[in-house]
Amino acid sequence: MQRYFLKETYNGQKSVILSDDDYHHITHVMRMKVGDTFWVVFSDSKTALVALESISDSTIEARIMDWEREDKELPVRVTIASGLPKVDKLEWIIQKGTELGAVEFTPFIAERSVVKWEEKKAKKKLQRWEKIAKEAAEQSHRQFLPLVQSPVKLKEIVTYSQNFDWKILAFEEAAKEGEKSQFAQTLSEMKQGDRILIVFGPEGGITDQETEFLLENDFRICGLGPRILRTETAPLYTLAAISYHFELLR
């Protein structure tokens, strides 16, 4: 059953109005008719089953029938901070990371980033990333629409990290040296509702200077097993491991 994210919070209303891209998808792609049902997710994560009540030239009105009671979000809130990779790789991280439960994506301009960020194209790229996240959230039946940020500098990531309970650097050199217990230990110390920021390097990895800077600001280095993972694979591996630990083991 289809799912659509609304920009409004639930305030007791008995019906909702959908327009723009959602209107187009419902009427022209799904070809729904009066009486058909689908899910809508309010910005406060309340999720309602609605029945299509009327269709005008540009909007749809749907009546709230019931509420989704199962919690489908990860018990912890994970933000993925990726060293700016090539565009198709970042899009892959956003799409699949959304499916796996991340709540936020914050790319940063790393010393070894291959791609140069162009501010004149920023708005268009951000809109595309937000659309990818929205479609992935709808497809995977999320109850929270992930936030996608424009790329920032590493210093801004460190400043932002003060808002988190856990700050992790996924470091390939740790994997090469055989470190394999820190990530599992960190997961065992986390509690439901904790906020987690995980930094991943770009294609060329994190430099020694960047690593030292993160360590100086209380980031914890974690290896991700004996194999070296690509920049677009590491975040997905990490989210899958977090899901296994918090959802499948309990």
Side-chain angles (χ1 to χ4, degrees), residues 184 187-190 240-250:
L187 289 180
S188 70
E189 295 173 14
M190 292 177 184
I242 291 172
S243 172
Y244 178 77
H245 179 84
F246 282 99
E247 296 178 312
L248 299 186
L249 284 182
R250 301 187 178 187

PDB file of all heavy atoms in Angstrom, residues 184 187-190 240-250:
ATOM      1  N   ALA A 184      31.283  -3.346  18.290  1.00  0.00           N
ATOM      2  CA  ALA A 184      30.350  -4.182  19.044  1.00  0.00           C
ATOM      3  C   ALA A 184      30.235  -3.699  20.486  1.00  0.00           C
ATOM      4  O   ALA A 184      29.132  -3.665  21.058  1.00  0.00           O
ATOM      5  CB  ALA A 184      30.814  -5.638  19.009  1.00  0.00           C
ATOM      6  N   LEU A 187      28.065  -0.541  20.551  1.00  0.00           N
ATOM      7  CA  LEU A 187      26.644  -0.858  20.403  1.00  0.00           C
ATOM      8  C   LEU A 187      26.061  -1.372  21.714  1.00  0.00           C
ATOM      9  O   LEU A 187      24.922  -1.044  22.064  1.00  0.00           O
ATOM     10  CB  LEU A 187      26.447  -1.902  19.295  1.00  0.00           C
ATOM     11  CG  LEU A 187      26.678  -1.447  17.852  1.00  0.00           C
ATOM     12  CD1 LEU A 187      26.447  -2.599  16.892  1.00  0.00           C
ATOM     13  CD2 LEU A 187      25.781  -0.275  17.487  1.00  0.00           C
ATOM     14  N   SER A 188      26.828  -2.174  22.434  1.00  0.00           N
ATOM     15  CA  SER A 188      26.329  -2.743  23.688  1.00  0.00           C
ATOM     16  C   SER A 188      26.124  -1.677  24.767  1.00  0.00           C
ATOM     17  O   SER A 188      25.357  -1.878  25.710  1.00  0.00           O
ATOM     18  CB  SER A 188      27.287  -3.822  24.195  1.00  0.00           C
ATOM     19  OG  SER A 188      28.505  -3.250  24.643  1.00  0.00           O
ATOM     20  N   GLU A 189      26.802  -0.544  24.625  1.00  0.00           N
ATOM     21  CA  GLU A 189      26.685   0.531  25.616  1.00  0.00           C
ATOM     22  C   GLU A 189      25.553   1.513  25.278  1.00  0.00           C
ATOM     23  O   GLU A 189      25.167   2.322  26.120  1.00  0.00           O
ATOM     24  CB  GLU A 189      28.010   1.298  25.695  1.00  0.00           C
ATOM     25  CG  GLU A 189      29.177   0.460  26.216  1.00  0.00           C
ATOM     26  CD  GLU A 189      30.497   1.199  26.128  1.00  0.00           C
ATOM     27  OE1 GLU A 189      30.472   2.440  25.908  1.00  0.00           O
ATOM     28  OE2 GLU A 189      31.548   0.560  26.248  1.00  0.00           O
ATOM     29  N   MET A 190      25.055   1.461  24.060  1.00  0.00           N
ATOM     30  CA  MET A 190      24.017   2.404  23.639  1.00  0.00           C
ATOM     31  C   MET A 190      22.676   2.074  24.264  1.00  0.00           C
ATOM     32  O   MET A 190      22.384   0.920  24.570  1.00  0.00           O
ATOM     33  CB  MET A 190      23.887   2.397  22.114  1.00  0.00           C
ATOM     34  CG  MET A 190      25.078   2.976  21.391  1.00  0.00           C
ATOM     35  SD  MET A 190      24.873   2.844  19.590  1.00  0.00           S
ATOM     36  CE  MET A 190      26.448   3.485  19.030  1.00  0.00           C
ATOM     37  N   ALA A 240      23.034  -1.762   8.902  1.00  0.00           N
ATOM     38  CA  ALA A 240      22.522  -3.131   8.992  1.00  0.00           C
ATOM     39  C   ALA A 240      22.943  -3.765  10.321  1.00  0.00           C
ATOM     40  O   ALA A 240      22.152  -4.471  10.967  1.00  0.00           O
ATOM     41  CB  ALA A 240      23.029  -3.963   7.818  1.00  0.00           C
ATOM     42  N   ALA A 241      24.194  -3.514  10.735  1.00  0.00           N
ATOM     43  CA  ALA A 241      24.667  -4.058  12.008  1.00  0.00           C
ATOM     44  C   ALA A 241      23.886  -3.468  13.180  1.00  0.00           C
ATOM     45  O   ALA A 241      23.535  -4.184  14.133  1.00  0.00           O
ATOM     46  CB  ALA A 241      26.160  -3.771  12.166  1.00  0.00           C
ATOM     47  N   ILE A 242      23.604  -2.174  13.122  1.00  0.00           N
ATOM     48  CA  ILE A 242      22.831  -1.519  14.178  1.00  0.00           C
ATOM     49  C   ILE A 242      21.417  -2.091  14.241  1.00  0.00           C
ATOM     50  O   ILE A 242      20.881  -2.378  15.317  1.00  0.00           O
ATOM     51  CB  ILE A 242      22.802   0.001  13.955  1.00  0.00           C
ATOM     52  CG1 ILE A 242      24.210   0.589  14.181  1.00  0.00           C
ATOM     53  CG2 ILE A 242      21.790   0.678  14.875  1.00  0.00           C
ATOM     54  CD1 ILE A 242      24.336   2.043  13.799  1.00  0.00           C
ATOM     55  N   SER A 243      20.810  -2.298  13.071  1.00  0.00           N
ATOM     56  CA  SER A 243      19.473  -2.882  13.022  1.00  0.00           C
ATOM     57  C   SER A 243      19.472  -4.290  13.602  1.00  0.00           C
ATOM     58  O   SER A 243      18.583  -4.659  14.387  1.00  0.00           O
ATOM     59  CB  SER A 243      18.970  -2.922  11.572  1.00  0.00           C
ATOM     60  OG  SER A 243      17.758  -3.645  11.481  1.00  0.00           O
ATOM     61  N   TYR A 244      20.474  -5.076  13.247  1.00  0.00           N
ATOM     62  CA  TYR A 244      20.561  -6.447  13.777  1.00  0.00           C
ATOM     63  C   TYR A 244      20.678  -6.424  15.298  1.00  0.00           C
ATOM     64  O   TYR A 244      19.988  -7.170  15.999  1.00  0.00           O
ATOM     65  CB  TYR A 244      21.764  -7.162  13.160  1.00  0.00           C
ATOM     66  CG  TYR A 244      21.967  -8.568  13.687  1.00  0.00           C
ATOM     67  CD1 TYR A 244      21.155  -9.611  13.246  1.00  0.00           C
ATOM     68  CD2 TYR A 244      22.944  -8.840  14.629  1.00  0.00           C
ATOM     69  CE1 TYR A 244      21.317 -10.901  13.739  1.00  0.00           C
ATOM     70  CE2 TYR A 244      23.119 -10.124  15.130  1.00  0.00           C
ATOM     71  CZ  TYR A 244      22.309 -11.159  14.678  1.00  0.00           C
ATOM     72  OH  TYR A 244      22.480 -12.424  15.185  1.00  0.00           O
ATOM     73  N   HIS A 245      21.537  -5.540  15.801  1.00  0.00           N
ATOM     74  CA  HIS A 245      21.772  -5.479  17.247  1.00  0.00           C
ATOM     75  C   HIS A 245      20.518  -5.038  18.013  1.00  0.00           C
ATOM     76  O   HIS A 245      20.178  -5.625  19.058  1.00  0.00           O
ATOM     77  CB  HIS A 245      22.924  -4.517  17.537  1.00  0.00           C
ATOM     78  CG  HIS A 245      23.222  -4.364  18.994  1.00  0.00           C
ATOM     79  ND1 HIS A 245      24.026  -5.247  19.700  1.00  0.00           N
ATOM     80  CD2 HIS A 245      22.811  -3.438  19.909  1.00  0.00           C
ATOM     81  CE1 HIS A 245      24.104  -4.863  20.949  1.00  0.00           C
ATOM     82  NE2 HIS A 245      23.383  -3.770  21.115  1.00  0.00           N
ATOM     83  N   PHE A 246      19.841  -4.016  17.509  1.00  0.00           N
ATOM     84  CA  PHE A 246      18.742  -3.426  18.266  1.00  0.00           C
ATOM     85  C   PHE A 246      17.364  -4.021  17.932  1.00  0.00           C
ATOM     86  O   PHE A 246      16.432  -3.878  18.731  1.00  0.00           O
ATOM     87  CB  PHE A 246      18.687  -1.919  18.044  1.00  0.00           C
ATOM     88  CG  PHE A 246      19.711  -1.160  18.840  1.00  0.00           C
ATOM     89  CD1 PHE A 246      20.893  -0.745  18.257  1.00  0.00           C
ATOM     90  CD2 PHE A 246      19.511  -0.882  20.182  1.00  0.00           C
ATOM     91  CE1 PHE A 246      21.850  -0.048  18.989  1.00  0.00           C
ATOM     92  CE2 PHE A 246      20.452  -0.205  20.928  1.00  0.00           C
ATOM     93  CZ  PHE A 246      21.638   0.213  20.329  1.00  0.00           C
ATOM     94  N   GLU A 247      17.235  -4.650  16.768  1.00  0.00           N
ATOM     95  CA  GLU A 247      15.910  -5.106  16.359  1.00  0.00           C
ATOM     96  C   GLU A 247      15.794  -6.625  16.260  1.00  0.00           C
ATOM     97  O   GLU A 247      14.791  -7.204  16.683  1.00  0.00           O
ATOM     98  CB  GLU A 247      15.528  -4.459  15.018  1.00  0.00           C
ATOM     99  CG  GLU A 247      15.411  -2.946  15.125  1.00  0.00           C
ATOM    100  CD  GLU A 247      15.091  -2.273  13.802  1.00  0.00           C
ATOM    101  OE1 GLU A 247      15.754  -2.596  12.788  1.00  0.00           O
ATOM    102  OE2 GLU A 247      14.198  -1.419  13.775  1.00  0.00           O
ATOM    103  N   LEU A 248      16.788  -7.300  15.699  1.00  0.00           N
ATOM    104  CA  LEU A 248      16.675  -8.735  15.498  1.00  0.00           C
ATOM    105  C   LEU A 248      17.142  -9.564  16.702  1.00  0.00           C
ATOM    106  O   LEU A 248      16.709 -10.698  16.885  1.00  0.00           O
ATOM    107  CB  LEU A 248      17.457  -9.169  14.247  1.00  0.00           C
ATOM    108  CG  LEU A 248      16.982  -8.534  12.926  1.00  0.00           C
ATOM    109  CD1 LEU A 248      17.727  -9.159  11.760  1.00  0.00           C
ATOM    110  CD2 LEU A 248      15.484  -8.697  12.741  1.00  0.00           C
ATOM    111  N   LEU A 249      18.031  -8.988  17.504  1.00  0.00           N
ATOM    112  CA  LEU A 249      18.523  -9.714  18.679  1.00  0.00           C
ATOM    113  C   LEU A 249      17.604  -9.558  19.880  1.00  0.00           C
ATOM    114  O   LEU A 249      17.837 -10.184  20.918  1.00  0.00           O
ATOM    115  CB  LEU A 249      19.938  -9.227  19.055  1.00  0.00           C
ATOM    116  CG  LEU A 249      21.080  -9.729  18.176  1.00  0.00           C
ATOM    117  CD1 LEU A 249      22.410  -9.194  18.698  1.00  0.00           C
ATOM    118  CD2 LEU A 249      21.130 -11.255  18.121  1.00  0.00           C
ATOM    119  N   ARG A 250      16.562  -8.712  19.748  1.00  0.00           N
ATOM    120  CA  ARG A 250      15.726  -8.420  20.917  1.00  0.00           C
ATOM    121  C   ARG A 250      14.274  -8.842  20.683  1.00  0.00           C
ATOM    122  O   ARG A 250      13.863  -9.071  19.590  1.00  0.00           O
ATOM    123  CB  ARG A 250      15.803  -6.914  21.242  1.00  0.00           C
ATOM    124  CG  ARG A 250      17.249  -6.501  21.511  1.00  0.00           C
ATOM    125  CD  ARG A 250      17.374  -5.097  21.991  1.00  0.00           C
ATOM    126  NE  ARG A 250      18.764  -4.762  22.281  1.00  0.00           N
ATOM    127  CZ  ARG A 250      19.169  -3.650  22.838  1.00  0.00           C
ATOM    128  NH1 ARG A 250      18.288  -2.736  23.191  1.00  0.00           N
ATOM    129  NH2 ARG A 250      20.448  -3.407  23.074  1.00  0.00           N
TER     130      ARG A 250
END
